Amino acid sequence: MTADNEDLRSLIERGAELTSGYLRAGPGSTAGRPLLDEAITVLERAYGRIEPGETVRGQVAGQMGWLYGVRHLAHGGDPKDRTTAMHLLDESLLSPNPTPVLAAASKIILGQLLLAGATAAMSSPDAMMRMMRGGSQIDVSAADRAIILFREVADGPPISAETTSSARAMLTVAEALRGMLGGPGGMDLSKLGQALTAMQTLQQQMGGRGAGPVPPPMPDLSRLIPQQTAGPSPAYAERPEPDVRFDPGLVAVVAGPIPGDGPPPRPRPAPIPAPSAAELRTHLESQDSLTVDDRVALAAAAAEAPGSQPTDHLALAAALIARHHADGAGGWTDGPDDLQTAADRLDRIAPDLPDMTAEEVARALHIAAQLPGQAHLEQAFAEVATVMREAGIATLVYPGAALDAATGRLEPVSADARWSGRIAAVTPVRGDAAISHVRSAAQLVALIRRGRRPITEKAVFVANPRGDRETATMDALRLRRAFHPQSTGLGRTVEQHHGDGTPDEVKACLNAGLLHLGCGITGTGALELVGHTTLTPAEIAEPSTPDTPGGVAILPPDPAALTLLADALLNRGFSAVIGFAVPVPDRLASVIYWMLHTALVDDGASPAEAVAAVRAWLQDPHREPPELLSTEYRAVTETIDPAAPAYADALTCRGL
């Protein structure tokens, strides 16, 4: 056995000793926390030295996931601990031939983490009330999976009486919580008592030990039930007496000594601060029984309160229109009527429309449609239309409307309209157009003015830095040979290797003309880089040098990458991010990448035009296979239909 193996074994044994010390100190105790933290640190070092595929990797992943889970549940750890724990526990359970004891412990702790996530939304009485009314839905899939995990341990081969008992107790709690969370309109209040009873029973069975091999306690739902206040309403409570100290010189005493000091003053309650716009907004959205006059008054208060937003003025305009119709559309004779006031509110927030989301702009247009001739929203998009014409973009599509760059007008459009040519969109659209998906009109203007660097200027490939994505290595090898012979290679690139793919190396390349990412993505959108390192979206989004043309980023075939990373890369300074809206098999993604780089490099197409060209090629029943990739293309098409809508429409361009 080599010295390196000896060192690895020492690290694993040291982690086990620290874990035992933590359990002896008492799970959840302050004295045991340093031992828990050190155990995680030691095992992280061991984990980073184990190559994927080695049997011991799954065991170490399971031990680390257990520790991270305990730190999150028993010590109120950072939410990142929960994400990391679930990732490691899933890896352990998917590893070949995990030991029965480790598998059972992993399933129990993973089930508790899933339940913790399912109940996280119930963080306040207000949140509970919204869910009871169906205003905020809970994803019950986490509770369903927790039930499956606990049942596998409870009904599976016996590990120990304690483990089986713990799994059954946790199963009872999970099923009760599932019944409570899964009502047709949100939470089922009738099942809340069952959930509380199940948890109280579990706490009695635990006797302070925790649930089986996992010590953390379950969340206490009783604290989320709004407490009823006894006594008179604060509005009618007795007013406090003035805070005036006792002055013995003003008191006539018939007999006895004059007191040296008077009684202590009555405590004066702190002044109640004025409600913020956010508080008023929440109340307005959560109350369905308000009269039309109360709704106008509350919306007006939110629009003028500290922290108000343009959406508050939209809510006020909608409330004013509703009151106008409730009054019989007769108008007022002693001042501006509700429709005129609503139009004034729209005019007030019109300059903010380019920064607003698709849903908010659609709401403003809907309100404006009820105020013919009284709102002037199109003036806010004059600069947007000018910049679009200069960039050759004909239309900016919103839900139900589109900005015509030629006329500067917002025209109504059908939801099933099909588009062609060069357009931008803040909402999903259909057709064979070259589409630039943007968050808002303001982002579109910013990206147009940013410009774009040449694709071949500093091309960078990050390929398979953890050794778990061999397809990415082959993609980088072929694409670099054919299209980017002078590119930088980070990770396992076979040829022209310039670095292992550390966070610092990748961060230094975030000003590339082309950045092709062939690495894993965590549940929070972080890049999985060499060893156990990551680069988070927040670290990626740190802005680069201003007024610098942006590059193009190409993401792995994982829809989570597009959802979690696109905005971070655009904020960093990239002008376009190309990714997949739905999962695509790696083998098909390799062919798509080849056609994409062909369009970008050989044809000189813009990112949006290149994406449109690839989508058209996939949908063409008479498409010709790539000349240099014909063998692999034919192997793919034997089992996969590239023209299937799920694949042909997957590639998407965010930005220009």
Side-chain angles (χ1 to χ4, degrees):
M1 183 174 294
T2 66
D4 285 345
N5 286 335
E6 286 286 346
D7 291 341
L8 176 60
R9 184 173 65 182
S10 298
L11 288 172
I12 295 174
E13 291 174 350
R14 176 63 176 156
E17 292 173 0
L18 290 166
T19 301
S20 298
Y22 167 74
L23 293 174
R24 289 193 299 271
S29 67
T30 302
R33 177 61 185 271
L35 296 170
L36 176 61
D37 293 342
E38 187 177 357
I40 290 175
T41 300
V42 169
L43 287 178
E44 279 182 340
R45 291 169 53 197
Y47 180 84
R49 300 180 56 181
I50 305 172
E51 293 292 330
E54 293 187 24
T55 303
V56 73
R57 182 182 174 96
Q59 298 177 9
V60 175
Q63 293 170 3
M64 286 176 60
W66 190 93
L67 293 170
Y68 271 112
V70 169
R71 188 163 72 178
H72 175 75
L73 294 168
H75 295 272
D78 189 283
K80 292 181 180 178
D81 283 351
R82 176 176 176 270
T83 301
T84 304
M86 295 177 68
H87 179 78
L88 291 166
L89 291 168
D90 278 331
E91 178 183 351
S92 175
L93 291 173
L94 292 173
S95 64
N97 302 320
T99 65
V101 173
L102 181 60
S106 297
K107 290 177 181 179
I108 291 179
I109 190 73
L110 180 57
Q112 293 192 65
L113 292 168
L114 289 164
L115 290 184
T119 58
M122 302 180 293
S123 58
S124 68
D126 289 341
M128 290 277 286
M129 296 300 293
R130 284 197 300 272
M131 285 183 279
M132 292 173 188
R133 287 191 295 268
S136 178
Q137 296 296 322
I138 293 180
D139 182 6
V140 298
S141 61
D144 289 335
R145 189 185 177 199
I147 290 173
I148 293 172
L149 291 170
F150 294 143
R151 186 170 287 137
E152 287 176 352
V153 178
D155 298 340
I159 305 300
S160 68
E162 183 181 25
T163 299
T164 302
S165 175
S166 299
R168 288 174 179 167
M170 295 299 301
L171 176 60
T172 301
V173 172
E175 290 176 340
L177 284 172
R178 176 62 175 83
M180 182 185 72
L181 300 177
M187 290 186 62
D188 187 350
L189 188 58
S190 66
K191 303 293 181 62
L192 180 58
Q194 298 177 19
L196 290 172
T197 300
M199 285 193 295
Q200 291 169 356
T201 302
L202 174 62
Q203 290 169 353
Q204 293 172 359
Q205 293 176 355
M206 285 162 55
R209 296 179 294 101
V214 183
M218 288 296 297
D220 181 10
L221 286 184
S222 61
R223 63 181 177 83
L224 300 177
I225 302 175
Q227 297 182 356
Q228 300 297 323
T229 304
S233 167
Y236 301 97
E238 181 183 357
R239 297 180 61 186
E241 295 181 1
D243 185 7
V244 179
R245 293 186 59 79
F246 180 78
D247 185 356
L250 301 179
V251 180
V253 181
V254 177
I258 296 177
D261 198 0
R266 291 181 59 179
R268 177 177 296 174
I272 300 175
S276 66
E279 293 171 322
L280 293 168
R281 189 184 310 126
T282 300
H283 189 64
L284 180 64
E285 294 171 352
S286 62
Q287 297 297 322
D288 298 328
S289 59
L290 292 173
T291 66
V292 66
D293 289 325
D294 287 343
R295 189 167 292 278
V296 170
L298 195 57
E304 301 301 330
S308 65
Q309 299 176 0
T311 52
D312 296 315
H313 295 272
L314 291 180
L316 175 55
L320 288 166
I321 293 173
R323 187 168 69 178
H324 171 79
H325 293 303
D327 289 338
W332 293 7
T333 59
D334 57 348
D337 63 11
D338 283 343
L339 291 185
Q340 181 59 53
T341 304
D344 292 342
R345 287 290 164 172
L346 280 190
D347 287 341
R348 181 171 175 177
I349 59 96
D352 298 304
L353 287 172
D355 279 310
M356 296 170 70
T357 65
E359 293 75 15
E360 292 165 351
V361 173
R363 186 180 185 189
L365 294 174
H366 175 72
I367 293 173
Q370 302 177 68
L371 305 168
Q374 299 191 63
H376 309 284
L377 302 185
E378 291 175 341
Q379 296 177 2
F381 291 94
E383 181 184 8
V384 178
T386 300
V387 176
M388 287 171 57
R389 287 195 298 271
E390 295 172 354
I393 297 176
T395 310
L396 174 60
V397 183
Y398 281 100
L403 175 65
D404 187 328
T407 64
R409 294 183 59 83
L410 284 163
E411 304 288 355
V413 295
S414 170
D416 58 356
R418 300 190 66 85
W419 298 90
S420 60
R422 184 74 177 89
I423 71 170
V426 294
T427 186
V429 296
R430 299 179 179 180
D432 57 1
I435 307 167
S436 292
H437 293 276
V438 291
R439 184 177 62 253
S440 65
Q443 186 185 50
L444 174 63
V445 171
L447 292 173
I448 292 174
R449 289 176 172 168
R450 179 179 295 169
R452 184 170 54 252
R453 302 176 68 181
I455 292 293
T456 54
E457 182 179 316
K458 192 179 178 182
V460 178
F461 284 75
V462 181
N464 191 20
R466 293 193 178 182
D468 55 353
R469 294 175 179 268
E470 292 302 323
T471 302
T473 294
M474 296 307 301
D475 288 341
L477 180 64
R478 285 192 294 255
L479 294 172
R480 295 176 74 199
R481 283 182 175 180
F483 303 106
H484 309 279
Q486 302 301 319
S487 61
T488 297
L490 302 177
R492 306 190 182 203
T493 57
V494 182
E495 297 175 345
Q496 294 177 288
H497 177 262
H498 299 89
D500 295 330
T502 66
D504 287 341
E505 291 171 345
V506 175
K507 199 169 183 179
C509 294
L510 292 179
N511 61 345
L514 173 74
L515 176 65
H516 188 117
L517 294 173
C519 57
I521 307 294
T522 70
T524 57
L527 304 182
E528 294 180 338
L529 302 178
V530 65
H532 197 54
T533 62
T534 59
L535 188 63
T536 67
E539 293 170 328
I540 292 172
E542 295 175 4
S544 59
T545 305
D547 303 325
T548 301
V552 177
I554 300 176
L555 303 180
D558 181 350
L562 189 66
T563 302
L564 300 171
L565 276 177
D567 283 338
L569 288 163
L570 292 173
N571 291 339
R572 177 74 184 195
F574 285 86
S575 61
V577 178
I578 299 175
F580 296 81
V582 296
V584 171
D586 287 345
R587 296 168 61 220
L588 178 59
S590 297
V591 176
I592 291 175
Y593 284 142
W594 182 272
M595 299 306 299
L596 178 64
H597 282 264
T598 299
L600 290 171
V601 180
D602 290 353
D603 301 338
S606 70
E609 292 167 341
V611 168
V614 173
R615 290 164 67 122
W617 180 80
L618 290 169
Q619 295 167 5
D620 182 3
H622 305 295
R623 61 184 172 273
E624 292 293 331
E627 182 178 351
L628 298 179
L629 212 65
S630 58
T631 300
E632 180 161 348
Y633 167 80
R634 290 188 172 88
V636 169
T637 55
E638 288 177 359
T639 56
I640 300 173
D641 178 13
Y647 301 145
D649 298 335
L651 201 63
T652 300
C653 176
R654 291 281 299 274
L656 295 176

